[in-house]
Amino acid sequence: MRCFSCDNLSLEPVCKECIKDFLTPEMIKKEVGNLEVISFFDYYLTVEFIKSKYIISGYRIYKFFAQKYFNPFLKEYVNTLKSDKPIYLIGIDEHVDRGFSNIALLVHYAAVGNSKLKELHSVLKATNRVKYAGESLEFRLDNPREFKYTGPKDIDAILIDDTTTTGTTIEEASRILKESGVNVHFALTVANAKEGVDY
């Protein structure tokens, strides 16, 4: 196997040198409405990895993100909770593109091996498939995703997405879940990007 970034031989999708250079977690936190959003990386340092969702080899990268960063973080988080009530992982719009859903991969591999984490797939879907890449905050506000939630109610959950930019998608998704009786603890994303970046 070769490293996705530098093309050197590697047992992992990303070699140790590229992990050190580009994928050392920063743990960026920001408030979106009343919800805390936690991101592992700055978008600008990880752009080639994030954009791998547009190519078939991105399957390996998003699986890697979930196993190396999401899974241990969430394991530590749920172990701090006093309740044995399960926490559901809900991906934001698990749309399949180019043969896989990058969000579904994050949800699945983030939950593997942890009995307190439960996967909920394809229960939060956008009915408006508008593209936000490169668009302004005003455009995003004028063109909401119009999410529909079809999952169980009265549960605790963590929202999963790949990137947060303005936060409008996460805020809208969180509101729909709250209206459906879902208690969202926080949102977890791979990267945090500033408004206006084209992803």
Side-chain angles (χ1 to χ4, degrees), residues 4 16-17 20-21 25 36-37 40 44-45 54 58 64 70 91 115 121 123 128 133 152 158 176 185 189:
F4 175 83
K16 290 180 180 178
E17 285 300 310
K20 186 176 74 173
D21 290 344
E36 181 177 52
V37 180
F40 288 93
Y44 294 100
L45 298 178
Y54 299 119
F64 170 79
F70 281 51
S115 61
H121 289 288
V123 296
N128 181 11
I158 295 168
I176 294 300
H185 288 216
T189 71

Side-chain angles (χ1 to χ4, degrees), residues 33 38 56 76 79-80 104 106 117 146 154-155 177 187 189:
I38 302 170
I56 194 62
E76 185 175 331
N79 285 341
T80 66
L106 292 175
L117 294 173
E146 298 176 8
D154 301 318
I155 60 171
L177 290 176
T189 71

Side-chain angles (χ1 to χ4, degrees), residues 1-18 60:
M1 185 184 302
R2 293 193 176 273
C3 172
F4 175 83
S5 182
C6 69
D7 213 31
N8 286 334
L9 291 174
S10 173
L11 294 175
E12 296 289 335
V14 183
C15 71
K16 290 180 180 178
E17 285 300 310
C18 288
R60 294 171 50 226

